[in-house]
Amino acid sequence: MSKRGLTRSQLAEMCNVKQPVIARMESDIHSPQVDSILKVLTPLGYALQIVPMQEKHKSMKDIY
């Protein structure tokens, strides 16, 4: 049950995805695909925003 009172099945139906997609997102075991994220965010009233990273993390070399 989510903060909005929805079950995984209800959220999946609302977002037009299968229930296992929601379960995998919640479990944080797999990284969801961007299209799956958008399918869930949009019906919930959210948007995905890409913003610049902080200066110290701009280079991939700095991350690894």
Side-chain angles (χ1 to χ4, degrees), residues 43-61:
L44 294 174
Y46 290 94
L48 181 64
Q49 183 178 15
I50 299 173
V51 296
M53 294 171 42
Q54 294 177 352
E55 190 67 33
K56 67 179 181 178
H57 295 290
K58 281 194 174 181
S59 170
M60 291 302 285
K61 291 184 283 184

